[in-house]
Amino acid sequence: MSDEEQRGRGAASVHRVGGLLGDLQAADDQPVAPRRRADAERNRAQILAAAEQLFAQQDPRTVTMDKIAKAAGVGRATLYRSFPDPSSVAVALLDEHQRRRHGQLNKGPPPLGPGAPAGERLAAFYLAMLDLLERHLPLALGAETGPARFRTGAYGFWRVHVRTLLVDHGIQDPDPLIDIALSPLSPELYQFQRHELGLSTERVGRSLADFARQLLRSGE
């Protein structure tokens, strides 16, 4: 065989091997996206677990992205790919806990769910939200303080729910009353009542339930 023929066969061989390697590489590349998704989910879980501890252990206002990244054992770039600021981390954590409340309001048994008078449903809503605040106050303080409170998805959902109750009760102009009805559930107010005034959750709950029934008296 001539040198030229050998070179031609060698080139063809390299081409075939290159194609095979390309096929193998493409095959190996197929799981990359799932692996990356799994890595992202694992990092997110680490971030949320670490952040929940930080929010519980210190003043939520002092929690920084640097602290969260260090506690989670991830880089700042990894953290910022998922969350822009500490408040968004707190919102994500709180959403996990609030999701169950959504289902109870929409499909759960009365009085929290459909089927009870509007006043009783509002009273039950207050009690359910107080329970959420008592269990997860540090997260609520990290996610729902100041103007940020009104921009969270959860607050938007609560507004829709309370507006529905007001309309069902026959309130002619419900919109100005919605945020007044939700104001007792401010995390900052609850923190003041519980930890500075020393009021018990049960005492606050009884007063809010009475307030709800007076605001929306059954039969009026």
Side-chain angles (χ1 to χ4, degrees), residues 203-215:
R203 187 176 173 187
V204 175
R206 284 195 300 270
S207 294
L208 282 183
D210 288 342
F211 170 73
R213 294 184 183 106
Q214 290 174 21
L215 184 65

PDB file of all heavy atoms in Angstrom, residues 203-215:
ATOM      1  N   ARG A 203     -54.879  35.056  73.717  1.00  0.00           N
ATOM      2  CA  ARG A 203     -55.564  36.317  74.019  1.00  0.00           C
ATOM      3  C   ARG A 203     -55.711  37.173  72.762  1.00  0.00           C
ATOM      4  O   ARG A 203     -56.791  37.729  72.497  1.00  0.00           O
ATOM      5  CB  ARG A 203     -54.780  37.072  75.090  1.00  0.00           C
ATOM      6  CG  ARG A 203     -55.483  38.312  75.619  1.00  0.00           C
ATOM      7  CD  ARG A 203     -54.681  38.929  76.748  1.00  0.00           C
ATOM      8  NE  ARG A 203     -55.240  40.199  77.173  1.00  0.00           N
ATOM      9  CZ  ARG A 203     -54.657  41.011  78.058  1.00  0.00           C
ATOM     10  NH1 ARG A 203     -53.488  40.656  78.587  1.00  0.00           N
ATOM     11  NH2 ARG A 203     -55.214  42.146  78.401  1.00  0.00           N
ATOM     12  N   VAL A 204     -54.645  37.261  71.979  1.00  0.00           N
ATOM     13  CA  VAL A 204     -54.713  38.002  70.723  1.00  0.00           C
ATOM     14  C   VAL A 204     -55.738  37.355  69.796  1.00  0.00           C
ATOM     15  O   VAL A 204     -56.539  38.036  69.141  1.00  0.00           O
ATOM     16  CB  VAL A 204     -53.330  38.053  70.048  1.00  0.00           C
ATOM     17  CG1 VAL A 204     -53.426  38.714  68.667  1.00  0.00           C
ATOM     18  CG2 VAL A 204     -52.329  38.810  70.917  1.00  0.00           C
ATOM     19  N   GLY A 205     -55.744  36.028  69.754  1.00  0.00           N
ATOM     20  CA  GLY A 205     -56.661  35.311  68.885  1.00  0.00           C
ATOM     21  C   GLY A 205     -58.118  35.546  69.251  1.00  0.00           C
ATOM     22  O   GLY A 205     -58.967  35.736  68.364  1.00  0.00           O
ATOM     23  N   ARG A 206     -58.421  35.522  70.543  1.00  0.00           N
ATOM     24  CA  ARG A 206     -59.809  35.768  70.972  1.00  0.00           C
ATOM     25  C   ARG A 206     -60.272  37.163  70.564  1.00  0.00           C
ATOM     26  O   ARG A 206     -61.395  37.349  70.075  1.00  0.00           O
ATOM     27  CB  ARG A 206     -59.933  35.598  72.491  1.00  0.00           C
ATOM     28  CG  ARG A 206     -59.946  34.155  72.970  1.00  0.00           C
ATOM     29  CD  ARG A 206     -60.426  34.070  74.400  1.00  0.00           C
ATOM     30  NE  ARG A 206     -59.576  34.823  75.314  1.00  0.00           N
ATOM     31  CZ  ARG A 206     -58.502  34.318  75.939  1.00  0.00           C
ATOM     32  NH1 ARG A 206     -58.153  33.055  75.718  1.00  0.00           N
ATOM     33  NH2 ARG A 206     -57.796  35.053  76.761  1.00  0.00           N
ATOM     34  N   SER A 207     -59.390  38.142  70.739  1.00  0.00           N
ATOM     35  CA  SER A 207     -59.758  39.511  70.387  1.00  0.00           C
ATOM     36  C   SER A 207     -59.965  39.665  68.885  1.00  0.00           C
ATOM     37  O   SER A 207     -60.910  40.333  68.438  1.00  0.00           O
ATOM     38  CB  SER A 207     -58.669  40.480  70.865  1.00  0.00           C
ATOM     39  OG  SER A 207     -58.605  40.498  72.276  1.00  0.00           O
ATOM     40  N   LEU A 208     -59.108  39.037  68.099  1.00  0.00           N
ATOM     41  CA  LEU A 208     -59.253  39.141  66.647  1.00  0.00           C
ATOM     42  C   LEU A 208     -60.494  38.402  66.155  1.00  0.00           C
ATOM     43  O   LEU A 208     -61.163  38.849  65.215  1.00  0.00           O
ATOM     44  CB  LEU A 208     -58.001  38.594  65.946  1.00  0.00           C
ATOM     45  CG  LEU A 208     -56.791  39.523  65.938  1.00  0.00           C
ATOM     46  CD1 LEU A 208     -55.646  38.892  65.145  1.00  0.00           C
ATOM     47  CD2 LEU A 208     -57.133  40.892  65.356  1.00  0.00           C
ATOM     48  N   ALA A 209     -60.805  37.276  66.771  1.00  0.00           N
ATOM     49  CA  ALA A 209     -62.017  36.548  66.385  1.00  0.00           C
ATOM     50  C   ALA A 209     -63.257  37.390  66.677  1.00  0.00           C
ATOM     51  O   ALA A 209     -64.193  37.458  65.859  1.00  0.00           O
ATOM     52  CB  ALA A 209     -62.088  35.209  67.102  1.00  0.00           C
ATOM     53  N   ASP A 210     -63.280  38.058  67.833  1.00  0.00           N
ATOM     54  CA  ASP A 210     -64.402  38.954  68.160  1.00  0.00           C
ATOM     55  C   ASP A 210     -64.464  40.111  67.169  1.00  0.00           C
ATOM     56  O   ASP A 210     -65.556  40.511  66.719  1.00  0.00           O
ATOM     57  CB  ASP A 210     -64.244  39.503  69.579  1.00  0.00           C
ATOM     58  CG  ASP A 210     -64.508  38.440  70.642  1.00  0.00           C
ATOM     59  OD1 ASP A 210     -65.128  37.410  70.295  1.00  0.00           O
ATOM     60  OD2 ASP A 210     -64.090  38.644  71.797  1.00  0.00           O
ATOM     61  N   PHE A 211     -63.299  40.648  66.838  1.00  0.00           N
ATOM     62  CA  PHE A 211     -63.243  41.756  65.877  1.00  0.00           C
ATOM     63  C   PHE A 211     -63.807  41.322  64.522  1.00  0.00           C
ATOM     64  O   PHE A 211     -64.576  42.060  63.887  1.00  0.00           O
ATOM     65  CB  PHE A 211     -61.798  42.221  65.726  1.00  0.00           C
ATOM     66  CG  PHE A 211     -61.575  43.197  64.607  1.00  0.00           C
ATOM     67  CD1 PHE A 211     -62.003  44.512  64.702  1.00  0.00           C
ATOM     68  CD2 PHE A 211     -60.918  42.811  63.444  1.00  0.00           C
ATOM     69  CE1 PHE A 211     -61.806  45.422  63.669  1.00  0.00           C
ATOM     70  CE2 PHE A 211     -60.703  43.709  62.408  1.00  0.00           C
ATOM     71  CZ  PHE A 211     -61.150  45.018  62.520  1.00  0.00           C
ATOM     72  N   ALA A 212     -63.444  40.121  64.071  1.00  0.00           N
ATOM     73  CA  ALA A 212     -63.933  39.610  62.787  1.00  0.00           C
ATOM     74  C   ALA A 212     -65.449  39.476  62.789  1.00  0.00           C
ATOM     75  O   ALA A 212     -66.126  39.858  61.824  1.00  0.00           O
ATOM     76  CB  ALA A 212     -63.278  38.262  62.479  1.00  0.00           C
ATOM     77  N   ARG A 213     -65.988  38.953  63.881  1.00  0.00           N
ATOM     78  CA  ARG A 213     -67.440  38.747  63.941  1.00  0.00           C
ATOM     79  C   ARG A 213     -68.185  40.085  64.008  1.00  0.00           C
ATOM     80  O   ARG A 213     -69.283  40.217  63.466  1.00  0.00           O
ATOM     81  CB  ARG A 213     -67.775  37.886  65.150  1.00  0.00           C
ATOM     82  CG  ARG A 213     -67.217  36.461  65.038  1.00  0.00           C
ATOM     83  CD  ARG A 213     -67.624  35.588  66.200  1.00  0.00           C
ATOM     84  NE  ARG A 213     -67.022  34.267  66.092  1.00  0.00           N
ATOM     85  CZ  ARG A 213     -66.005  33.831  66.831  1.00  0.00           C
ATOM     86  NH1 ARG A 213     -65.476  34.645  67.763  1.00  0.00           N
ATOM     87  NH2 ARG A 213     -65.519  32.634  66.664  1.00  0.00           N
ATOM     88  N   GLN A 214     -67.591  41.072  64.680  1.00  0.00           N
ATOM     89  CA  GLN A 214     -68.229  42.379  64.737  1.00  0.00           C
ATOM     90  C   GLN A 214     -68.129  43.085  63.389  1.00  0.00           C
ATOM     91  O   GLN A 214     -69.064  43.792  62.983  1.00  0.00           O
ATOM     92  CB  GLN A 214     -67.560  43.229  65.804  1.00  0.00           C
ATOM     93  CG  GLN A 214     -67.838  42.746  67.235  1.00  0.00           C
ATOM     94  CD  GLN A 214     -67.049  43.514  68.283  1.00  0.00           C
ATOM     95  OE1 GLN A 214     -66.596  44.620  68.023  1.00  0.00           O
ATOM     96  NE2 GLN A 214     -66.882  42.916  69.448  1.00  0.00           N
ATOM     97  N   LEU A 215     -66.998  42.883  62.699  1.00  0.00           N
ATOM     98  CA  LEU A 215     -66.819  43.512  61.396  1.00  0.00           C
ATOM     99  C   LEU A 215     -67.795  42.945  60.378  1.00  0.00           C
ATOM    100  O   LEU A 215     -68.350  43.664  59.544  1.00  0.00           O
ATOM    101  CB  LEU A 215     -65.379  43.299  60.920  1.00  0.00           C
ATOM    102  CG  LEU A 215     -64.972  43.969  59.607  1.00  0.00           C
ATOM    103  CD1 LEU A 215     -65.021  45.495  59.756  1.00  0.00           C
ATOM    104  CD2 LEU A 215     -63.567  43.527  59.200  1.00  0.00           C
TER     105      LEU A 215
END
